[in-house]
Amino acid sequence: MAVSSTIGRLGEFQLIARMTSGLAPSGDVLLGPGDDAAVVRAPDQRVVASMDLLVEGRHFRRDWSSAHDVGRKAAAQNFADIAAMGARPTVLLVGFAAPADLPASWADGFTAGLRAECAAAGGTVAGGDVVGADTVTIAVTALGDLEGRRPVRRDGARVGDLVAVTGHLGLSAAGQALLAAGIDGPPACTDEHRHPAPPYARGPQAADHGATAMLDVSDGLVQDLGHIAAASAVAIALTTESLRPEAALDDAVALLRGSGERRGAADFMLAGGEDHALAATFPPDAGLPPHWHPIGVVERGSGVLVDGEPAAVRGWDHFGQGPETTT
Amino acid sequence: MAVSSTIGRLGEFQLIARMTSGLAPSGDVLLGPGDDAAVVRAPDQRVVASMDLLVEGRHFRRDWSSAHDVGRKAAAQNFADIAAMGARPTVLLVGFAAPADLPASWADGFTAGLRAECAAAGGTVAGGDVVGADTVTIAVTALGDLEGRRPVRRDGARVGDLVAVTGHLGLSAAGQALLAAGIDGPPACTDEHRHPAPPYARGPQAADHGATAMLDVSDGLVQDLGHIAAASAVAIALTTESLRPEAALDDAVALLRGSGERRGAADFMLAGGEDHALAATFPPDAGLPPHWHPIGVVERGSGVLVDGEPAAVRGWDHFGQGPETTT
């Protein structure tokens, strides 16, 4: 196959063959790609299921991210949702819409990225769909197995619980700002934007530790914790002092300052988006599991407080109008 | 809410609220929309899962199909894949990508169509995603429960089996041709194109009756039976005499003749596409279940024969280049 080939020249069936051949075997998949539907083991008698769409120009740019990165990110953000329920990621279904003139090498890179992130999360690809479209658009459904655990929802936080996070906060948004400004900044930031590395195993770990509420931080920490506050009818009180920015974030902020960026490390951590860290609430008496660190407490009231002040929610509205104050 | 509102004006969270409020309760859904992921019952300890993408201008046109029709079609084609495995449809996850200026009424109509088809199939919507995009693009994942049945794959057809179909063949493609030609033809055809009505219950019924192979006829009968022939390493021999076109199809063909259309009823039935009928093979000694009718037999050899001649596969390549001879 010529490297310069396009997916239109390959045709649907050859493209599907390339995207599905040599998939890693998985004990979770009883019937993989190639039939009307996949058959996946669900030993728990419950299946956890989540779907995300990624649209070129909105969720990724082909000039900022490689096909491999987009594949990794597509898998990562969906498996992070599974982990945030306390479940083990099992499989992905992947819908791939693309123009006929897309280089076949881009599809190959995307497929390799998906598989790399599947390997990191312990899952595999069980099926999907390939269609033509003017814009590269990727739909991913992730499934997971609770292994007997109670699913950790958003509505279980109780007054007095500790609020804690695990994973990288702020790096992805700072990385995006660096890329937008054309600044060659810390790879820890730009890499995190191109392919987040969610702490998958810490979702089930938190569930086992008694987490009362949990979610994947995807739209900005304050906005996402606002969902826990609203669903649980509590207030979440954070302190900026507890946020402890990573060194790479401090470095990125210093570099961005020169290009007129006014956001500081705490801003990126509180409202950045696309972190794919996990945030959860835990009963105060049991301490926190390893790799989780405390950022606040659950109080009576409503909304999210930062250093005692109600936080304006500056997260993402997904119709492309950027960060938006919704309250 | 003003009728003239757009989804951009509603914003992501209000749009999600409109798309998810008042969903019919379902015994299959343990946790519905609003958390990181849905939790769905899988009593069989296996889950059947399928995904399709629908792209505006490729799979539907807003001037030919109402939002309600697109919603019905999106649900139908996915639940048909579940039924074709011999499983009972349970839930959908629905990804909805659309421009901010899409009328909110279109999103409402789409949601209503999804729910109408869910009611027909016995499923419900358990989750999804809403994002911005330049083109309306819909991703649907359907899940289903095998209820203890062996999944009916494509690779089980045996020499001597009967080949049979149930559902409407050719009507959808004839309906599309009528719409393209601007001819006011039989509603049975144009309606079938706008919202196919797959015979969901006949999938599990066929499995219980011992079907050896089965699939959803979506890309044209000959092309799809070619998948069974290839996977099962057999030939499938059809006779046009057995196809028995519905009266509405004969009427549509007569009307289309005047606009220069050269395809006859058998052409639409053999290569039309988007039928969402079911085709299956059955052991010859057990007869056929109700509502299935025989169209051929499984023989030694390869490929699909029509009246003894190898059939050129004229089905769909999904990169938008239309019907295409692939063999």
Side-chain angles (χ1 to χ4, degrees):
Chain A
M1 200 68 55
V3 172
S4 62
S5 184
T6 64
I7 62 171
R9 208 166 291 167
L10 284 182
E12 179 187 0
F13 293 105
Q14 268 204 62
L15 176 59
I16 292 172
R18 279 162 82 118
M19 295 182 88
T20 58
S21 72
L23 279 170
S26 160
D28 294 311
V29 179
L30 298 168
L31 180 63
D35 217 298
D36 290 280
V39 183
V40 180
R41 288 182 68 237
D44 178 89
Q45 299 192 301
R46 296 169 297 176
V47 65
V48 178
S50 177
M51 175 192 274
D52 277 323
L53 293 175
L54 286 89
V55 180
E56 180 178 7
R58 309 257 180 167
H59 303 95
F60 64 90
R61 287 176 49 163
R62 277 198 264 158
D63 54 342
W64 286 2
S65 296
S66 70
H68 195 274
D69 288 337
V70 175
R72 284 189 62 179
K73 188 171 182 170
Q77 70 180 50
N78 280 278
F79 277 150
D81 282 327
I82 299 302
M85 300 303 291
R88 177 180 69 83
T90 55
V91 304
L92 299 180
L93 304 178
V94 182
F96 187 74
D101 65 359
L102 185 79
S105 60
W106 202 93
D108 290 344
F110 171 77
T111 300
L114 275 178
R115 293 182 186 194
E117 196 63 26
C118 280
T124 190
V125 174
D129 191 20
V130 167
V131 301
D134 293 337
T135 306
V136 179
T137 304
I138 293 154
V140 178
T141 290
L143 303 183
D145 181 32
L146 283 161
E147 301 176 310
R149 290 180 203 95
R150 174 187 49 83
V152 185
R153 301 162 51 147
R154 298 175 172 192
D155 60 0
R158 292 171 302 200
V159 173
D161 282 352
L162 299 175
V163 181
V165 293
T166 189
H168 302 295
L169 282 178
L171 299 193
S172 175
Q176 185 179 32
L178 290 165
L179 290 166
I183 298 172
D184 186 21
C189 294
T190 48
D191 286 355
E192 189 70 18
H193 178 68
R194 293 189 177 108
H195 48 250
Y200 302 112
R202 295 182 199 158
Q205 172 204 40
D208 290 339
H209 200 84
T212 52
M214 180 158 53
L215 47 61
D216 167 47
V217 181
S218 56
D219 291 338
L221 181 65
V222 167
Q223 179 165 320
D224 285 326
L225 287 177
H227 297 316
I228 288 183
S232 302
V234 296
I236 297 214
L238 309 180
T239 61
T240 48
E241 189 188 32
S242 66
L243 287 175
R244 302 195 315 197
E246 297 179 43
L249 179 56
D250 283 330
D251 293 347
V253 165
L255 285 166
L256 285 163
R257 197 75 70 189
S259 71
E261 171 66 57
R262 291 180 305 172
R263 285 176 286 177
D267 297 311
F268 284 112
M269 295 181 77
L270 290 169
E274 296 199 319
D275 301 293
H276 299 298
L278 295 174
T281 56
F282 292 92
D285 46 0
L288 297 177
H291 307 293
W292 287 79
H293 79 266
I295 58 169
V297 293
V298 178
E299 298 183 345
R300 283 182 208 287
S302 64
V304 177
L305 309 172
V306 177
D307 299 332
E309 296 293 321
V313 175
R314 298 189 63 84
W316 288 93
D317 183 289
H318 287 233
F319 289 106
Q321 287 138 346
E324 185 148 289
T325 301
T326 57
T327 297
Chain B
M1 199 68 56
V3 173
S4 62
S5 185
T6 63
I7 62 170
R9 207 165 291 166
L10 285 181
E12 178 187 2
F13 293 106
Q14 269 204 63
L15 175 60
I16 292 172
R18 280 161 82 118
M19 295 184 88
T20 58
S21 72
L23 278 170
S26 161
D28 294 311
V29 179
L30 298 168
L31 180 63
D35 217 300
D36 290 280
V39 183
V40 180
R41 288 182 69 238
D44 177 90
Q45 299 192 303
R46 297 170 296 178
V47 65
V48 178
S50 177
M51 175 192 274
D52 278 323
L53 293 174
L54 285 89
V55 180
E56 180 178 6
R58 310 258 180 166
H59 303 96
F60 64 91
R61 286 176 50 163
R62 278 199 265 158
D63 54 342
W64 286 3
S65 297
S66 70
H68 195 275
D69 288 337
V70 175
R72 285 188 61 179
K73 187 171 182 169
Q77 70 180 51
N78 280 278
F79 277 149
D81 282 327
I82 299 301
M85 300 303 292
R88 176 180 68 84
T90 55
V91 304
L92 299 179
L93 304 177
V94 182
F96 186 75
D101 64 0
L102 185 78
S105 59
W106 202 94
D108 290 343
F110 172 77
T111 301
L114 274 177
R115 292 181 188 195
E117 196 63 28
C118 280
T124 190
V125 174
D129 191 20
V130 167
V131 301
D134 294 336
T135 306
V136 179
T137 303
I138 294 154
V140 178
T141 290
L143 303 182
D145 182 32
L146 283 161
E147 301 176 310
R149 289 180 203 94
R150 175 187 48 83
V152 185
R153 301 162 50 148
R154 298 175 172 193
D155 59 0
R158 292 170 304 198
V159 173
D161 282 351
L162 299 175
V163 181
V165 293
T166 189
H168 303 294
L169 281 178
L171 299 193
S172 174
Q176 186 178 33
L178 289 166
L179 289 165
I183 299 173
D184 186 20
C189 294
T190 48
D191 286 356
E192 189 70 19
H193 179 67
R194 292 189 178 109
H195 47 251
Y200 301 113
R202 296 182 199 159
Q205 172 206 40
D208 290 339
H209 200 84
T212 52
M214 180 157 55
L215 46 61
D216 167 47
V217 180
S218 56
D219 290 338
L221 181 65
V222 167
Q223 178 165 319
D224 286 326
L225 287 177
H227 298 315
I228 288 183
S232 302
V234 296
I236 296 212
L238 309 179
T239 60
T240 47
E241 188 188 31
S242 66
L243 287 175
R244 301 196 313 195
E246 297 179 43
L249 179 57
D250 284 330
D251 293 347
V253 166
L255 284 166
L256 285 163
R257 197 75 70 190
S259 71
E261 172 67 57
R262 293 179 304 173
R263 284 176 287 178
D267 298 311
F268 284 113
M269 295 181 76
L270 290 169
E274 296 199 320
D275 300 293
H276 300 297
L278 295 173
T281 55
F282 293 92
D285 46 0
L288 297 177
H291 308 292
W292 286 79
H293 79 266
I295 57 169
V297 293
V298 178
E299 298 182 344
R300 282 183 209 285
S302 65
V304 177
L305 309 172
V306 177
D307 299 332
E309 296 292 322
V313 175
R314 297 187 63 83
W316 288 92
D317 182 290
H318 286 233
F319 289 106
Q321 287 138 347
E324 184 148 291
T325 300
T326 57
T327 296

